[in-house]
Amino acid sequence: MIVTAKDLLTKAKEGKYAVGAFNTSSLEITKGILQAAYELKTPVIIETSEGEANFEGYQVFVDTVRDIAEELAIDVAINLDHGKSLESVKYAIDSGYSAVHIDCSKMDLAANTDLTKQVVEVAHAHKVSVEGELGYIGGSSEVHEGEQPKQEIIFTDPKEAGEYIKATGIDIFAGSYGNVHGIYKNEPKLDIERIKKISDVSGIPLSLHGGSGIPEGQIKDAIGAGICKINVNTEIRKAYREALDKALRGKNAEIVPYKYLPEAINAVKEVVKKKITLFSNGHIFTE
Ligand code: 13P
């Protein structure tokens, strides 16, 4: 069944676990993500950035996820990740996304609040949940040669987060607390105290972007502090690419996609299963 991210994360907050939000940009990755959720009997959030959705096709993506979710009888939220404008959010909602993330975190607080409010109004009228963001989360979902960019100056201020959440009426909050998109040479160091303070002032589920490359201990601490949604992209992209390389190595004559793509689907599935198991924090999902 297609559900909203709010539906899944309200339960996650109560149960003190997190739901994985996994990015996809191809049918194989989509299959790997949904099969992982099916095998573990858990709900899942599947998401695309605007770039990923433009590549796949918003409608093609939504229809595919709906069909597979129905066939496998799993609960899935379909999320637009880092939507940048009211127009792209509206387009996603019209295509059938059940959740949207509006990222106007590069704007000042007043402009960010204003645009987020407009998104909430439109999305809630369509029963679509909204994730807002304050405090810029840098990086990109790739494997980087260098060290993680320093971000302390744009870490989310808990007081401002409280005001933003109250003023906008968002359902889920994404902040900057030491998390950066992508994998770097050095490990990230999450500011767990900051997450806790934001959780205390907000009262709503918190989202952790940049889930790739964060050590398991820090993930558990972050969940304990109030994180209910964890986004993962880079580790999936890396697994997919490496499995594809391996599947094709020494097989120059192989031209049949359905003979080499299953290995890439399987690699994605294994990464997602590992993450779901970690994020579930021992929680057993029942009907
Ligand atoms: P990673 O690429 O670091 O996993 O981050 C993904 C993400 O946060 C998507 O919004």
Side-chain angles (χ1 to χ4, degrees):
M1 190 165 75
I2 301 302
V3 296
T4 68
K6 184 185 176 185
D7 291 333
L8 299 182
L9 300 180
T10 306
K11 289 185 196 150
K13 190 167 163 57
E14 275 166 28
K16 297 196 182 341
Y17 61 89
V19 177
F22 302 102
N23 286 74
T24 178
S25 48
S26 77
L27 175 59
E28 294 76 39
I29 296 176
T30 297
K31 281 187 170 187
I33 293 167
L34 298 180
Q35 280 175 12
Y38 170 70
E39 287 182 18
L40 292 174
K41 300 187 173 21
T42 64
V44 73
I45 301 170
I46 192 162
E47 60 186 19
T48 66
S49 64
E50 292 176 0
E52 287 166 333
N54 284 333
F55 175 71
E56 284 198 81
Y58 283 72
Q59 197 63 65
V60 171
F61 165 64
V62 169
D63 290 349
T64 305
V65 173
R66 277 185 183 278
D67 284 353
I68 300 177
E70 195 175 316
E71 189 185 317
L72 300 181
I74 50 174
D75 283 347
V76 182
I78 307 177
N79 185 42
L80 177 69
D81 183 39
H82 294 282
K84 299 281 195 235
S85 65
L86 189 58
E87 288 65 40
S88 72
V89 163
K90 280 182 176 163
Y91 194 75
I93 292 172
D94 287 345
S95 305
Y97 281 63
S98 64
V100 291
H101 164 217
I102 177 71
D103 172 8
C104 24
S105 57
K106 279 187 176 164
M107 297 177 180
D108 65 27
L109 181 57
N112 184 347
T113 303
D114 188 48
L115 180 53
T116 305
K117 262 164 98 170
Q118 293 179 50
V119 166
V120 168
E121 201 172 309
V122 171
H124 283 181
H126 289 82
K127 299 196 175 3
V128 166
S129 62
V130 180
E131 175 177 338
E133 178 172 331
L134 187 68
Y136 181 60
I137 306 161
S140 59
S141 291
E142 289 162 88
V143 179
H144 300 269
E145 292 283 310
E147 305 248 309
Q148 175 175 322
K150 292 257 177 296
Q151 304 228 115
E152 281 83 348
I153 41 157
I154 32 113
F155 275 9
T156 306
D157 175 64
K159 191 168 163 282
E160 275 189 4
E163 287 163 12
Y164 168 78
I165 292 163
K166 203 162 162 231
T168 56
I170 54 168
D171 308 294
I172 301 141
F173 178 77
S176 171
Y177 0 74
N179 46 321
V180 181
H181 298 104
I183 297 178
Y184 298 82
K185 264 169 99 180
N186 58 325
E187 271 182 8
K189 173 97 191 63
L190 297 181
D191 186 342
I192 302 295
E193 268 313 299
R194 187 177 298 266
I195 295 173
K196 180 138 194 10
K197 276 190 195 145
I198 297 171
S199 179
D200 288 346
V201 296
S202 76
I204 62 172
L206 302 187
S207 168
L208 178 68
H209 283 248
S212 295
I214 301 179
E216 291 194 9
Q218 289 194 50
I219 291 284
K220 286 190 176 157
D221 290 346
I223 293 170
I227 292 293
C228 304
K229 166 176 173 280
I230 303 178
N231 288 21
V232 179
N233 194 353
T234 310
E235 285 190 46
I236 291 175
R237 289 178 169 180
K238 187 167 176 288
Y240 177 86
R241 170 61 201 252
E242 286 172 357
L244 199 52
D245 279 351
K246 194 160 161 247
L248 292 172
R249 208 170 297 144
K251 292 189 198 152
N252 286 345
E254 183 56 82
I255 61 158
V256 184
Y258 61 75
K259 291 194 177 162
Y260 56 80
L261 286 173
E263 294 185 41
I265 296 174
N266 207 40
V268 169
K269 186 177 79 179
E270 290 311 315
V271 168
V272 173
K273 279 176 86 170
K274 211 167 147 217
K275 295 294 179 190
I276 289 179
T277 304
L278 173 65
F279 301 164
S280 298
N281 209 17
H283 180 81
I284 309 285
F285 292 87
T286 48
E287 290 302 305

